[in-house]
Amino acid sequence: MFRLLFVISAFAAVLVTGLPSSRVVNGEDAKHVLNHHYVLTAAHCVKNAKSWEVHLGAHKRSLTHEPHRAVYKTTHGKAHPDYNQRNLNNDVGLLYFEEEVKYTAYVQPATVYAHHVSEDRTVVVSGWGLMNDHSAQPAETLQFAPLVTMKNKDCAAVYSNDVVKETVVCAKGVTNESACNGDSGGPLVLEDTHELVGVVSFGHAAGCEKGFPNGYSRVNTTPITRIVNGEEAKPGQFPHQVLLRPDTGNVISDRFVLTAAHCVKNMKSIEVHLGAHDRTNPNEDGRLVFNSTEFKPHEKFNLLANNDVGLVKLPEAVKFSDKIKPVKLPKNNNDKYENETAVVSGWGLEHTGGSQAPHELRFTELRVISNAECKKVYNGLIVKDSTICAKGEEKESACNGDSGGPLVHKETGELIGVVSFVGVEGCEVGLPVGFARVTKFLDWIQKNSV
């Protein structure tokens, strides 16, 4: 169970006081925006601030009692760890709400464009920023304007290669439309699908009305935190990862996949995808697909998630490749992992209650905690010696759909846990994740995988 909540402020109706207000030069009146537990903005908007008042569903900036507006306060802001204040590289940041934001007709999450946006695409920027270079006040009503994306090399000719990296997308107006001071952190979306492609980052020092392009942080390439610091994996980065619809597992030999018992209990057949990255594309290069009817849950597995390990036997031996390799199992029962870093990965939901799993494999880092600490949350009936728990420093977590997936020690590359359970309160509230402790099942695995 993994995958983190990533909700964004796009199509512009998140108004954050303490951040520059937004407005679009030569634009028109616009509509509303989005959000959930998180608002995506620019790193330079959150870097040195301590608190924010966030207005969702806003349209008129000063009309704070709009019936469709929801106002939240937060002290949780995070800039990208690799943000560079000098050249504005990795200029993305997140604001986090403790309580879950309710969606309405005026408050909705943005969809991130999953591909590399090419030049000459029509996009839309929106915000409450200055109307022109001589304005003293931000716009009263939310504005938007169409722009056209351009080649990075042409944009770099204006700003330099040091500023315009691969993580930047540039766009400019046909008749000098532009973002301006106060639009920082706002959305750049595709005109036809409204998918988010960029976050307003920088403009030209000569002014907003001179026809220069604006720079935006390209959201599908900037490794920003997803809900709780999840990142998209590179194809082949986790060659041991197995897609078991609807769960996941781990290649441990050329004939066996290790997963959770609750993933195979009472199953009659399972579709097994090895070498997968995009779960929706069965024709990926290097992917192998099998249908297995042989699997074995641990004999002592119960509904308290004790002994939650199981095996899937492949119908034929698999030839390993760059995309398909077995994970290393621990060599002995030495399982003193407390406070060490491990990596969890999977295709699970990005937030509790979500209906769509991500297309691409995702991962995040967790810190292993003691079972004594974990028992304070789940009690001793669930957390046994055969359990290992881990949690994120910034509420990273596994989620529904990550069951059976790997918890791999960051330094040794050994599989130390199999995703088993997370708190009923939800995946994004910061509770530890429970895993089957692999060192306690080495004999069982060896006995049943021959």
Side-chain angles (χ1 to χ4, degrees):
M1 305 181 311
F2 155 78
R3 170 75 175 184
L4 322 123
L5 178 78
F6 183 47
V7 193
I8 308 162
S9 91
F11 218 13
V14 174
L15 175 61
V16 185
T17 63
L19 305 185
S21 54
S22 24
R23 180 56 171 260
V24 180
V25 175
N26 294 335
E28 310 169 28
D29 287 349
K31 296 183 181 178
H32 18 272
V33 258
L34 89 52
N35 206 298
H36 192 163
H37 266 289
Y38 283 81
V39 167
L40 177 65
T41 183
H44 74 262
C45 293
V46 300
K47 183 65 175 177
N48 297 312
K50 294 182 178 180
S51 64
W52 301 265
E53 186 174 278
V54 182
H55 295 242
L56 309 182
H59 181 61
K60 289 186 177 295
R61 185 179 58 83
S62 63
L63 190 59
T64 58
H65 299 296
E66 289 176 308
H68 42 70
R69 183 185 299 206
V71 182
Y72 295 84
K73 293 183 179 180
T74 182
T75 58
H76 302 291
K78 182 179 178 66
H80 191 286
D82 295 325
Y83 167 61
N84 187 317
Q85 201 164 358
R86 179 183 60 82
N87 58 16
L88 294 178
N89 291 166
N90 302 305
D91 191 13
V92 288
L94 288 172
L95 297 177
Y96 171 74
F97 305 117
E98 292 285 352
E99 60 180 300
E100 182 170 326
V101 173
K102 293 182 179 179
Y103 295 150
T104 68
Y106 293 88
V107 180
Q108 289 287 319
T111 299
V112 177
Y113 186 58
H115 308 287
H116 189 90
V117 63
S118 59
E119 67 271 13
D120 298 325
R121 291 290 301 271
T122 301
V123 289
V124 176
V125 63
S126 51
W128 292 268
L130 300 181
M131 290 291 288
N132 54 61
D133 294 327
H134 307 291
S135 299
Q137 295 295 325
E140 172 60 17
T141 305
L142 184 63
Q143 303 284 301
F144 73 90
L147 307 175
V148 178
T149 60
M150 57 191 296
K151 293 181 179 180
N152 274 23
K153 68 175 183 179
D154 294 334
C155 192
V158 177
Y159 293 107
S160 86
N161 290 322
D162 186 48
V163 173
V164 182
K165 303 285 190 180
E166 291 182 357
T167 54
V168 171
V169 58
C170 292
K172 61 184 296 185
V174 176
T175 54
N176 291 352
E177 298 91 346
S178 173
C180 199
N181 296 342
D183 289 315
S184 292
L188 184 73
V189 302
L190 293 174
E191 182 186 48
D192 51 356
T193 66
H194 296 171
E195 292 174 293
L196 185 73
V197 297
V199 173
V200 179
S201 178
F202 60 86
H204 202 281
C208 309
E209 301 174 90
K210 308 299 183 182
F212 290 109
N214 299 128
Y216 302 80
S217 295
R218 191 186 293 264
V219 296
N220 76 322
T221 58
T222 306
I224 99 156
T225 61
R226 214 96 157 157
I227 273 198
V228 275
N229 292 349
E231 299 179 31
E232 181 182 332
K234 298 176 182 178
Q237 184 174 353
F238 300 102
H240 54 270
Q241 189 95 34
V242 178
L243 178 60
L244 301 174
R245 300 189 184 275
D247 293 322
T248 185
N250 315 272
V251 177
I252 60 170
S253 73
D254 62 355
R255 289 298 301 272
F256 284 91
V257 170
L258 179 66
T259 186
H262 74 262
C263 292
V264 297
K265 186 78 170 178
N266 301 320
M267 296 292 287
K268 294 182 179 180
S269 66
I270 295 179
E271 191 172 274
V272 182
H273 294 246
L274 309 180
H277 178 67
D278 181 344
R279 66 177 180 82
T280 65
N281 181 10
N283 299 315
E284 284 181 310
D285 182 44
R287 183 188 292 205
L288 298 177
V289 182
F290 299 95
N291 189 68
S292 175
T293 57
E294 295 185 66
F295 18 84
K296 182 179 179 63
H298 195 284
E299 301 85 353
K300 295 183 179 181
F301 167 68
N302 60 36
L303 295 181
L304 293 174
N306 301 153
N307 305 300
D308 194 9
V309 291
L311 289 167
V312 177
K313 186 175 183 179
L314 302 175
E316 61 184 73
V318 173
K319 185 177 181 180
F320 296 140
S321 66
D322 289 341
K323 301 287 181 64
I324 304 171
K325 294 179 182 179
V327 67
K328 292 193 297 183
L329 296 178
K331 296 179 181 179
N332 51 53
N333 291 327
N334 177 22
D335 55 2
K336 304 298 182 182
Y337 301 120
E338 187 176 340
N339 291 321
E340 296 185 13
T341 302
V343 177
V344 64
S345 51
W347 291 271
L349 298 178
E350 46 182 355
H351 62 89
T352 304
S355 60
Q356 294 294 323
H359 288 193
E360 292 80 15
L361 181 64
R362 301 189 68 78
F363 72 97
T364 194
E365 293 183 359
L366 305 177
R367 176 180 63 86
V368 178
I369 63 174
S370 68
N371 277 19
E373 181 180 348
C374 198
K375 287 178 182 178
K376 294 177 182 178
V377 179
Y378 297 114
N379 82 50
L381 293 176
I382 295 174
V383 181
K384 301 288 190 179
D385 290 343
S386 57
T387 304
I388 184 170
C389 295
K391 63 183 297 186
E393 300 299 333
E394 298 287 340
K395 299 186 179 181
E396 302 91 337
S397 177
C399 202
N400 299 343
D402 291 313
S403 292
L407 182 71
V408 173
H409 194 283
K410 184 178 180 180
E411 291 187 5
T412 68
E414 294 177 338
L415 181 71
I416 62 175
V418 173
V419 179
S420 178
F421 62 85
V422 70
V424 294
E425 294 87 345
C427 309
E428 62 268 18
V429 297
L431 297 179
V433 183
F435 303 80
R437 189 182 291 262
V438 172
T439 54
K440 298 300 183 183
F441 298 101
L442 291 175
D443 291 342
W444 184 88
I445 293 169
Q446 183 177 15
K447 177 182 177 181
N448 290 281
S449 60
V450 292

